[in-house]
Amino acid sequence: TLSSSSAASDVYKRQLESILIAAPTGIGMVIDRVFQWSNEKLSQITGYTAEELRDRDSRILYPSDEEYDRVGNEKYAQIRETGTGTIVTKWKRKGGKIIDVLLSSTPLNQLDFAQGVIFTALDITDSVRAEKEILEKNKALEDALTVKTEFLSMVSHELRTPLVPILGYAEVLLEGGLGELPVEAVRPVQAIKDRAEDLARLIDDLLLLSRLERGKIKIDIKPMSIFEHLHEIIVDYESVDHDKPAEIEWIGDDFDIMVDHTRFHQVMRNLIDNSFKYSLESVNIMIKTKKEGKFGVISISDNGIGISETDLPKVFDRFYQAEPIDTRSHQGAGLGLSITKELIEMMGGTIGVESEVGKGSTFTIKLPLA
Ligand code: ADP
């Protein structure tokens, strides 16, 4: 029974005791290191019956004297500060099995710790183990990710190197640097050069992606006039021959946005290139610009094949490519838009898309105004 107080009524004492005995938490009372009383749950946790614990030194539950002393010191330091001490410790069950326990102790008399403590104990072995397993799994995942990123970067470098002479010699051959090419050789050599360029672009995308993943990309944000930029891009596109009739138009406000000029250029080219790739007979691109609060909004619309509702949420995912609508193959690996999105976000902006199959697509970028 609990220590008697002549003031408390017997009924009250018995009620309190039965609550403590039936509590779903281990509860015990220790005076001067010696067990006075414990409940049923504590017996389940420790393997000792209440009779076995009674009058025993509380060290019996500890795997070592060091652990016992550590718990004692920490407990009293906490009690002095807050009135109770809560500590995670190891206990040794009857039979020797080591378990993890969450202990919470309160002195019976706040002024005199020597009068003993009443404590609650929870067996947290399972949750400690589960937590450890989760941490180990996270670590393994992180390691695997690092290996993947390093592999990507290594492979990309190794693939890029042999492309340099392939591209170089193809160009020399085409320009007649090794003598006039036989007519029937022009197309094959041109094909070598074109495909090698595709491959170089793909490898550059992979390299950029691995650098983005490793946080190795530095951006240099400066004000940029959207007018000058679009003018330059449109002139660029108009100065080369395309395999289908193409028109790019721009209407809207001129304003300065805060961007990394090179990266923004890359983003715009990727979006416009996509409009070319995914328009069949002819290309009609409309670029609109407007200010919206603190942002400059730039939208690029085409009247190409469009993107289906199921594909739409995934086009910014890595390596994602929609089911091809026609049999013509489009070069690319589904990396362009994921890189575009990361670059835009690095510059403090957002990108979204709206589309309707057969009607066309509109990509909308928002970036901070200067
Ligand atoms: P890639 O063009 O190399 O396949 P992207 O990441 O640039 O990769 O684009 C992902 C996918 O989104 C494309 O495969 C295509 O299905 C779709 N897509 C992107 N831009 C357009 C567009 N302007 N019109 C229609 N579909 C598009």
Side-chain angles (χ1 to χ4, degrees):
T1 56
L2 288 169
S3 61
S4 58
S5 143
S6 50
S9 79
D10 275 358
V11 177
Y12 174 72
K13 248 175 56 187
R14 270 203 302 278
Q15 279 176 344
L16 191 60
E17 198 173 335
S18 46
I19 289 171
L20 293 179
I21 286 172
T25 322
I27 302 175
M29 193 171 86
V30 170
I31 293 176
D32 214 6
R33 290 185 178 176
V34 174
F35 276 107
Q36 305 296 318
W37 180 90
S38 60
N39 72 348
E40 176 53 32
K41 184 68 190 177
L42 197 76
S43 294
Q44 285 172 20
I45 294 174
T46 62
Y48 294 102
T49 63
E51 292 71 45
E52 283 172 321
L53 284 176
R54 201 186 159 92
D55 295 334
R56 292 285 281 276
D57 189 316
S58 56
R59 271 171 211 266
I60 184 179
L61 291 181
Y62 287 83
S64 67
D65 283 354
E66 288 78 45
E67 182 65 357
Y68 179 82
D69 292 341
R70 179 189 73 83
V71 170
N73 291 339
E74 270 184 38
K75 180 170 69 186
Y76 286 116
Q78 281 188 34
I79 287 174
R80 260 179 227 110
E81 264 191 31
T82 64
T84 55
T86 302
I87 284 157
V88 174
T89 179
K90 300 237 179 255
W91 270 3
K92 192 170 80 183
R93 277 174 59 88
K94 184 179 183 181
K97 189 180 165 218
I98 305 290
I99 56 174
D100 296 287
V101 178
L102 178 70
L103 267 188
S104 229
S105 310
T106 314
L108 290 170
N109 180 340
Q110 286 289 351
L111 300 176
D112 183 5
F113 300 164
Q115 290 200 6
V117 294
I118 185 149
F119 65 85
T120 61
L122 275 180
D123 183 350
I124 54 166
T125 312
D126 288 345
S127 46
V128 166
R129 190 190 309 124
E131 194 182 345
K132 223 175 114 202
E133 275 170 14
I134 288 172
L135 287 177
E136 277 165 10
K137 277 191 191 137
N138 277 350
K139 174 84 176 42
L141 273 179
E142 257 169 42
D143 289 352
L145 213 61
T146 312
V147 168
K148 189 207 84 183
T149 315
E150 277 166 8
F151 177 74
L152 196 65
S153 150
M154 194 265 289
V155 168
S156 313
H157 277 291
E158 294 301 314
L159 289 174
R160 193 75 171 84
T161 317
L163 273 182
V164 177
I166 296 178
L167 274 168
Y169 284 130
E171 250 160 51
V172 171
L173 284 171
L174 284 172
E175 283 160 9
L178 297 174
E180 183 84 26
L181 263 193
V183 194
E184 54 295 3
V186 173
R187 269 181 58 143
V189 177
Q190 184 68 46
I192 292 177
K193 181 169 171 264
D194 290 347
R195 295 292 85 83
E197 275 170 355
D198 290 345
L199 208 53
R201 260 193 301 275
L202 170 61
I203 294 167
D204 287 345
D205 278 354
L206 283 172
L207 268 172
L208 180 58
L209 197 67
S210 86
R211 290 176 64 207
L212 280 169
E213 275 185 1
R214 287 178 299 158
K216 285 261 164 81
I217 296 290
K218 297 246 167 359
I219 50 168
D220 180 18
I221 294 196
K222 292 195 182 117
M224 188 196 72
S225 149
I226 194 72
F227 171 83
E228 277 170 32
H229 180 83
L230 290 177
H231 180 73
E232 200 181 305
I233 280 209
I234 291 173
V235 168
D236 264 7
Y237 273 94
E238 281 171 351
S239 66
V240 290
D241 288 336
H242 300 288
D243 55 1
K244 46 201 161 193
E247 221 172 278
I248 309 185
E249 268 184 89
W250 165 57
I251 51 164
D253 310 330
D254 181 22
F255 44 75
D256 282 4
I257 44 173
M258 294 301 287
V259 287
D260 180 309
H261 292 206
T262 318
R263 297 301 175 196
F264 183 72
H265 191 77
Q266 186 178 358
V267 162
M268 290 300 290
R269 289 216 58 127
N270 178 241
L271 294 174
I272 296 172
D273 282 347
N274 275 351
S275 291
F276 269 83
K277 273 201 287 188
Y278 302 108
S279 295
L280 300 181
E281 270 78 48
S282 63
V283 191
N284 266 295
I285 299 173
M286 171 62 87
I287 302 176
K288 288 184 185 162
T289 56
K290 64 169 192 242
K291 285 193 202 180
E292 206 178 275
K294 290 182 174 161
F295 289 89
V297 181
I298 303 139
S299 65
I300 297 120
S301 308
D302 61 49
N303 48 12
I305 58 174
I307 304 165
S308 73
E309 241 173 89
T310 40
D311 289 325
L312 211 50
K314 299 181 221 154
V315 290
F316 294 106
D317 293 354
R318 250 158 233 181
F319 299 108
Y320 190 81
Q321 294 185 296
E323 272 310 306
I325 290 185
D326 68 341
T327 47
R328 264 174 278 183
S329 68
H330 304 288
Q331 330 96 2
L335 287 175
L337 286 180
S338 67
I339 291 177
T340 288
K341 183 162 186 266
E342 288 213 32
L343 290 175
I344 291 284
E345 285 172 359
M346 275 178 87
M347 296 189 275
T350 56
I351 181 166
V353 57
E354 284 171 69
S355 185
E356 203 177 317
V357 173
K359 291 255 168 75
S361 315
T362 299
F363 285 83
T364 305
I365 300 173
K366 275 191 195 184
L367 281 159
L369 288 170

